Amino acid sequence: MLDAKYLREHMDDVVAKFNKRGENVEELKNFETLDHKRRSLIQQTEELKQRRNEVSKQVAEYKREGKNADELIQETKEVSTKMKTLDEELREVEQNLQQLLLTLPNLPHESVPQGEDESDNEEVRTWGEPPIFSYEAKAHWELGTELQMLDFERSSKVTGSRFVFYKGLGARLERALINYMMDVHESEHGYEEVIPPFMVNRESMTGTGQLPKFEEDSFKIREEDYFLVPTAEVPVTNMHRDEILNVDELPIKNSAFSACFRSEAGSAGRDTRGLIRQHQFNKVELVTFVKPEESYEMLESLTSHAETILQRLQLPYRVMNMCTGDLGFTAAKKYDIEVWLPSYNDFKEISSCSNFEAFQARRANIRFKREAKGKTEFVHTLNGSGLAVGRTVAAIIENYQQEDGSIVIPEVLRPYMGGRTVIEST
RNA sequence: GGAGAAGUACCCAAGUGGCUGAAGGGGCUCCCCUGCUAAGGGAGUAGGUCGCGCAAGCGGCGCGAGGGUUCGAAUCCCUCCUUCUCCGCCA
């Protein structure tokens, strides 16, 4: 959510930034109308309320003294009636204004390259070399199925498309990666571990920006106003919703494991094979809460923590700075980390690291104080995948494959795989 | 799922229609006393948010949330949420 005061006072800047994003400016005009109306109504009702309070106090006095207060009571009665009408009008205007504010996207940071779509994203750096195969490399869904690590047929029988059974060493590998990632982030990068609820309520989904605009992307529980989490970002960021944090607590760094559930509405036909685009997948997510002046530093560090995992796994990747047109709704700046996938002969997103600045904090009302008696300020929130586990499994299978169809296990994972060095068919 | 109880400021807690921005205590801050500590005496302290204003300030809201009754609600009514206890069920 954008700051209403900022919108009011710097409309030109907001318009310019909306244009950069390719965003419709029409709503901003509606904002001005509603905002103006709201303030005028507030002034009117408050004046009446003040009058009512004064007279009510007088009535009390009269009664105590045994005087007749009928005339005063008559007056407040009238004032109260008028007040209620205005109050109702105000409530409606505020609701509309709030709804409108919830649909406005974040403003891009100045270091974000301008562009229309993913082709305008800027490559920041690359790491490692894509492997060269002397034979025809296989896709992870073929190898995974052959090695009985993955079973896509039975999962579609049991559930439907875009679900998978991990089996045998496939399940073990998935679990090894979760543990390895969580361990590194906890012991080396200083994140406090969290395993959140996998369902959240509507307020939480609104707090991080999934709602109200993107309801069709999520899975809704039928009898409860709950949603399956699309990412641990939602429960973990909302952990501190409506809180005022102490400045000594900052920065808060959490690494969270969760399953993630996405309806993938609108992606029909894309990435239909393999682990890349599932309705359910596991992810280790890094979430941080920081003082505003530290958030861009944190974005770099967060991104590097995700990169560390790929480096230790020896998986080639590149880091992209998302352009204004590809930023998404909530981010002020976003890096995607893309891992090399031989089956795609291309890089594929495996982590997305974003600085939301105060956009989520304002929605979720997450604040802090620098001093006990000081003013409250909104924190900045950030998060990044560290990493998406299913896609990591896919990348390992494909990049570590050998001509005989076996998979070498990355060295750092071997202790998590019972000391095995290779996955091969038996 | 059934029965019951409760939600008041940093914490505990009083308060069933007007003088309650909210008793009392704890805590916290300052002062006094005291060789130090403990104990004691005195004074002070109350969150957040919105509107107007350059500001000082003024005003609105506020006692789990949202509605309602009333001239006036922490106090009465309705709905919801959360916590606790007992019973049932269950990984």
Side-chain angles (χ1 to χ4, degrees):
Chain A
M1 196 159 70
L2 300 175
D3 181 10
K5 197 178 282 175
Y6 188 84
L7 276 166
R8 203 180 293 145
E9 290 165 8
H10 306 274
M11 191 46 94
D12 293 350
D13 179 53
V14 176
V15 168
K17 285 181 172 151
F18 265 49
N19 283 330
K20 261 190 156 186
R21 289 185 52 116
E23 193 70 30
N24 193 343
V25 187
E26 199 50 41
E27 292 291 345
L28 295 175
K29 294 213 173 61
N30 294 336
F31 166 81
E32 282 186 315
T33 318
L34 282 170
D35 180 58
H36 185 82
K37 199 165 178 193
R38 166 171 176 269
R39 284 186 298 155
S40 135
L41 281 168
I42 283 178
Q43 280 174 50
Q44 291 174 57
T45 53
E46 289 197 350
E47 215 167 285
L48 290 173
K49 280 178 187 170
Q50 188 176 352
R51 182 69 197 145
R52 180 204 58 190
N53 290 345
E54 280 166 8
V55 179
S56 279
K57 213 173 267 180
Q58 261 181 319
V59 170
E61 250 170 74
Y62 274 42
K63 293 241 160 156
R64 246 175 286 129
E65 292 164 10
K67 287 199 255 180
N68 184 310
D70 290 355
E71 218 169 290
L72 288 175
I73 288 178
Q74 191 52 38
E75 189 191 337
T76 17
K77 215 175 212 171
E78 282 162 23
V79 172
S80 281
T81 318
K82 222 189 289 177
M83 195 190 78
K84 264 173 201 162
T85 320
L86 283 178
D87 246 356
E88 217 160 286
E89 208 178 322
L90 175 63
R91 205 182 307 157
E92 203 185 309
V93 169
E94 288 201 313
Q95 228 165 45
N96 292 339
L97 189 61
Q98 183 68 9
Q99 277 315 108
L100 189 153
L101 282 170
L102 286 175
T103 62
L104 299 179
N106 205 353
L107 304 176
H109 186 252
E110 62 213 359
S111 63
V112 171
Q114 179 160 5
E116 276 181 31
D117 53 40
E118 60 175 27
S119 63
D120 296 318
N121 294 336
E122 194 180 275
E123 185 181 293
V124 180
R125 58 184 166 271
T126 62
W127 188 93
E129 287 294 328
I132 296 160
F133 298 99
S134 56
Y135 57 94
E136 178 120 14
K138 288 184 176 171
H140 69 272
W141 53 86
E142 297 174 278
L143 288 161
T145 306
E146 283 166 18
L147 292 169
Q148 302 194 44
M149 298 166 74
L150 305 171
D151 188 337
F152 292 99
E153 263 179 47
R154 291 197 174 102
S155 61
S156 45
K157 170 177 70 183
V158 170
T159 307
S161 67
R162 294 201 192 281
F163 286 89
V164 67
F165 276 105
Y166 285 87
K167 295 188 307 187
L169 291 179
R172 183 83 189 247
L173 179 60
E174 177 89 1
R175 194 159 56 81
L177 278 166
I178 294 166
N179 284 329
Y180 176 66
M181 291 178 195
M182 289 299 278
D183 283 356
V184 170
H185 293 314
E186 201 271 337
S187 328
E188 297 184 44
H189 297 152
Y191 290 79
E192 186 182 23
E193 227 173 296
V194 173
I195 300 179
F198 291 2
M199 292 184 203
V200 293
N201 58 32
R202 182 172 292 274
E203 290 70 38
S204 295
M205 290 289 275
T206 307
T208 30
Q210 282 73 22
L211 296 182
K213 277 189 107 168
F214 308 105
E215 183 152 354
E216 78 277 9
D217 291 336
S218 56
F219 286 113
K220 170 93 177 55
I221 302 301
R222 208 169 272 291
E223 34 309 287
E224 208 73 57
D225 203 12
Y226 293 165
F227 298 82
L228 292 176
V229 297
T231 156
E233 159 195 353
V234 180
V236 177
T237 306
N238 279 282
M239 263 207 301
H240 298 293
R241 175 149 51 84
D242 292 318
E243 289 184 17
I244 298 176
L245 302 166
N246 192 317
V247 71
D248 321 319
E249 299 175 72
L250 301 177
I252 294 172
K253 296 166 68 179
N254 292 129
S255 68
F257 162 74
S258 87
C260 304
F261 303 89
R262 299 188 182 177
S263 76
E264 296 298 344
S267 330
R270 292 180 62 197
D271 310 309
T272 48
R273 311 190 67 183
L275 295 171
I276 300 305
R277 194 171 297 275
Q278 297 276 300
H279 286 310
Q280 175 193 321
F281 61 96
N282 293 315
K283 182 155 62 69
V284 169
E285 184 77 359
L286 306 174
V287 179
T288 67
F289 305 80
V290 302
K291 288 185 269 186
E293 64 270 25
E294 289 171 2
S295 68
Y296 279 93
E297 207 178 305
M298 182 58 91
L299 178 61
E300 297 304 319
S301 116
L302 192 84
T303 308
S304 78
H305 293 151
E307 286 177 64
T308 301
I309 303 293
L310 286 170
Q311 291 172 10
R312 302 256 179 102
L313 292 171
Q314 298 278 301
L315 291 169
Y317 68 86
R318 64 179 185 185
V319 178
M320 307 294 287
N321 185 3
M322 299 289 101
C323 73
T324 49
D326 206 18
L327 259 189
F329 179 69
T330 46
K333 180 169 184 173
K334 176 160 86 176
Y335 292 123
D336 272 6
I337 303 175
E338 302 178 341
V339 71
W340 179 257
L341 270 192
S343 60
Y344 280 65
N345 195 34
D346 200 358
F347 291 95
K348 188 79 185 167
E349 178 191 334
I350 196 165
S351 170
S352 193
C353 302
S354 310
N355 184 359
F356 306 98
E357 297 190 0
F359 188 83
Q360 291 182 327
R362 212 172 278 121
R363 290 176 157 247
N365 195 28
I366 307 170
R367 297 168 296 168
F368 78 104
K369 277 188 186 185
R370 293 181 195 270
E371 295 154 31
K373 298 260 176 191
K375 276 183 73 82
T376 58
E377 295 174 56
F378 288 109
V379 299
H380 280 190
T381 60
L382 300 96
N383 65 52
S385 347
L387 310 158
V389 180
R391 288 189 180 185
T392 309
V393 168
I396 288 172
I397 293 176
E398 293 193 7
N399 284 286
Y400 279 86
Q401 65 177 291
Q402 301 185 101
E403 191 161 9
D404 65 358
S406 64
I407 317 279
V408 174
I409 296 171
E411 234 175 273
V412 291
L413 292 182
R414 290 175 192 172
Y416 293 86
M417 294 290 289
R420 289 176 181 81
T421 57
V422 69
I423 301 172
E424 52 199 342
S425 47
T426 45

